[in-house]
Amino acid sequence: MKYIAWILIGTVLGAVGDWLFLQYNSGPVIPQQTQTILAYFNRSEPTDIVQVAVNRTISVTKAVATAAMQELLKGPTAAEKAEGLTTAINAGTVLNYVKIENGIATVDFNDQFDFQIGGSARVRAIYQQIFKTLTQFSTIKSIQLTINNGERPANLEP
């Protein structure tokens, strides 16, 4: 019995020692820094579709425009949907890249982005969601939409 007690004491002390070693050698825990950006979703009004800004919290990044577009493509949350917010962007749309040059953001998607898009109100809603989401950043004045790594311009014709 005395032998088992020593084994238990040794196991506990070993576990405490391992925990202390990890705490000492892993360095201080630095909290993840975050920032708030806006993503714009649509709400149908009696005579129009309006874009509504919602706050999204993201990790601090230099690629903030890309992060904003990724948040936009996630679509509205369940709570936002309950408030009547929607997205006009096709499900399955994938962001390939955002490139900013001379105030123009070139946003490239897979070909699901403009697959079977019709209707002037929907086309305008898609464009406005992207435009408003990106022009919240002072480095972006206009947008250009492309498909499949610049293979062609996005077709946002009604």
Side-chain angles (χ1 to χ4, degrees), residues 37 61-73 89 93-110 113 129-131 133-137 139-150:
I37 54 99
T61 178
K62 290 181 181 179
V64 69
T66 299
M69 284 305 305
Q70 289 167 337
E71 289 299 315
L72 182 63
L73 291 179
I89 298 170
T93 295
V94 174
L95 177 68
N96 293 325
Y97 62 80
V98 176
K99 180 175 70 175
I100 304 166
E101 205 169 84
N102 299 321
I104 302 169
T106 300
V107 187
D108 191 84
F109 301 100
N110 68 343
F113 174 75
Q129 281 186 260
I130 297 167
F131 180 79
T133 296
L134 290 176
T135 57
Q136 71 184 292
F137 308 112
T139 56
I140 300 173
K141 304 298 179 208
S142 64
I143 64 172
Q144 175 179 312
L145 307 175
T146 60
I147 303 297
N148 292 337
N149 297 305

Side-chain angles (χ1 to χ4, degrees), residues 30-51:
I30 300 171
Q32 180 87 22
Q33 292 185 342
T34 60
Q35 67 188 89
T36 301
I37 54 99
L38 301 174
Y40 284 81
F41 296 105
N42 301 313
R43 177 180 288 135
S44 293
E45 299 290 330
T47 59
D48 203 0
I49 297 172
V50 297
Q51 286 69 49

Side-chain angles (χ1 to χ4, degrees), residues 6-127:
W6 281 112
I7 290 174
L8 287 174
I9 291 171
T11 302
V12 170
L13 289 176
V16 170
D18 289 345
W19 181 82
L20 288 172
F21 175 82
L22 289 173
Q23 295 302 310
Y24 178 77
N25 289 307
S26 63
V29 175
I30 300 171
Q32 180 87 22
Q33 292 185 342
T34 60
Q35 67 188 89
T36 301
I37 54 99
L38 301 174
Y40 284 81
F41 296 105
N42 301 313
R43 177 180 288 135
S44 293
E45 299 290 330
T47 59
D48 203 0
I49 297 172
V50 297
Q51 286 69 49
V52 177
V54 298
N55 290 328
R56 293 292 167 91
T57 302
I58 61 170
S59 296
V60 172
T61 178
K62 290 181 181 179
V64 69
T66 299
M69 284 305 305
Q70 289 167 337
E71 289 299 315
L72 182 63
L73 291 179
K74 288 178 185 177
T77 64
E80 292 162 352
K81 286 178 184 176
E83 293 176 14
L85 298 182
T86 63
T87 184
I89 298 170
N90 281 336
T93 295
V94 174
L95 177 68
N96 293 325
Y97 62 80
V98 176
K99 180 175 70 175
I100 304 166
E101 205 169 84
N102 299 321
I104 302 169
T106 300
V107 187
D108 191 84
F109 301 100
N110 68 343
D111 54 10
Q112 185 63 30
F113 174 75
D114 61 0
F115 181 70
Q116 295 184 341
I117 289 183
S120 59
R122 181 171 183 208
V123 167
R124 195 175 108 250
I126 291 168
Y127 184 86

